[in-house]
Amino acid sequence: MENNSITRDRVVGNDRTFKEFSCQICQNLLWEPHSCSSCHRILCEKCMQKWFNNPLNRNTCPFCSKPSEYKPCAFLNQYILPYLRIRCRNENLGCKQILPYKQLEHHETADCQYLSEQCMKCNQLILRSKLVEHQQRLEQCISCPIKCTICKNSFEDIDFQAHFTECYQQKIDQLNTNIDFDRNMERHIRDNERITPNSSL
Ligand SMILES: [Zn+2]
Ligand SMILES: [Zn+2]
Ligand SMILES: [Zn+2]
Ligand SMILES: [Zn+2]
Ligand SMILES: [Zn+2]
């Protein structure tokens, strides 16, 4: 779903639910989640495509670095995500509806009484019926800073794309460091377990 990042404030429920089912890279709620055939870690479709479209990444997983294929994550799609409830993206325009995950896209693109489109010039969500009028009004159609979902900083429109690419790469590097750390801890714990019985003799 284009232009529809599901941020924390749109998901009904506690922080834990959101954290558990958000994409580790863009930090939005998982949309079309895909998991690695090797390590089973999960990414949203957008982040997965962004990663695999970069030839430098040579079809390896960002997390386990093994040659990998990402497949739609059937378990989440079937048993977890359908139970989440999300506020319509047009809440600021007047829509107070809260939708089950699976109905959200249809609602926002067809059923909503406040159908909106993202203005190409300023990136704001604007009522579809008011879009032309909006773009003629210079005082309304001003490019507003875009907030990076990863680092939470705001950027001017023209700087955003470059920033996001960089921020995205940093996030992956950081995740990899954490994973190395986890692996070391695991090894450490295993080694200790091995040592303990002997040393108690
Ligand atoms: Zn993502
Ligand atoms: Zn992997
Ligand atoms: Zn709506
Ligand atoms: Zn605009
Ligand atoms: Zn950022």
Side-chain angles (χ1 to χ4, degrees):
M1 190 162 30
E2 237 354 81
N3 308 329
N4 192 15
S5 308
I6 303 176
T7 46
R8 169 68 191 98
D9 50 316
R10 293 187 51 202
V11 181
V12 180
N14 56 37
D15 285 336
R16 216 182 117 235
T17 316
F18 181 75
K19 236 184 146 144
E20 223 169 316
F21 305 116
S22 55
C23 170
Q24 288 193 61
I25 293 178
C26 67
Q27 318 206 5
N28 293 314
L29 186 71
L30 285 164
W31 196 259
E32 313 275 355
H34 285 63
S35 64
C36 168
S37 52
S38 169
C39 70
H40 304 290
R41 285 191 173 79
I42 299 165
L43 286 179
C44 71
E45 187 172 53
K46 248 195 239 172
C47 289
M48 178 202 67
Q49 282 170 347
K50 195 173 162 63
W51 175 261
F52 285 102
N53 283 343
N54 182 347
L56 290 177
N57 295 327
R58 284 170 296 166
N59 289 325
T60 56
C61 166
F63 302 112
C64 64
S65 306
K66 293 189 184 138
S68 139
E69 216 182 310
Y70 267 69
K71 298 227 172 83
C73 189
F75 180 80
L76 280 181
N77 274 330
Q78 206 169 336
Y79 298 107
I80 307 285
L81 298 175
Y83 298 99
L84 297 181
R85 289 155 56 76
I86 327 280
R87 287 174 229 284
C88 173
R89 72 173 186 178
N90 302 323
E91 188 177 20
N92 290 339
L93 299 173
C95 182
K96 299 295 169 217
Q97 293 229 46
I98 296 174
L99 289 304
Y101 187 89
K102 297 268 174 182
Q103 287 169 30
L104 185 69
E105 188 167 18
H106 183 74
H107 171 83
E108 289 179 348
T109 52
D111 282 352
C112 184
Q113 283 183 30
Y114 301 85
L115 281 183
S116 67
E117 242 164 83
Q118 192 173 32
C119 170
M120 304 224 316
K121 295 183 189 167
C122 69
N123 285 317
Q124 301 181 79
L125 281 176
I126 306 295
L127 276 180
R128 202 175 275 177
S129 53
K130 295 268 167 68
L131 192 63
V132 178
E133 189 187 322
H134 158 83
Q135 286 175 341
Q136 285 163 351
R137 292 186 160 207
L138 293 175
E139 79 278 10
Q140 276 185 15
C141 188
I142 32 173
S143 75
C144 50
I146 308 173
K147 197 170 174 187
C148 171
T149 54
I150 300 175
C151 68
K152 314 284 182 227
N153 290 315
S154 296
F155 296 87
E156 285 305 317
D157 198 9
I158 39 165
D159 301 328
F160 183 74
Q161 208 49 44
H163 164 79
F164 191 74
T165 307
E166 198 178 305
C167 202
Y168 176 92
Q169 192 57 49
Q170 266 175 22
K171 181 76 191 175
I172 296 214
D173 293 347
Q174 184 196 333
L175 287 171
N176 281 331
T177 321
N178 288 345
I179 289 164
D180 282 347
F181 178 78
D182 286 351
R183 281 205 198 108
N184 284 337
M185 274 310 276
E186 249 170 56
R187 199 174 309 131
H188 190 73
I189 291 165
R190 267 206 315 271
D191 290 351
N192 275 338
E193 277 168 356
R194 226 177 281 139
I195 293 162
T196 319
N198 292 336
S199 57
S200 66
L201 282 174

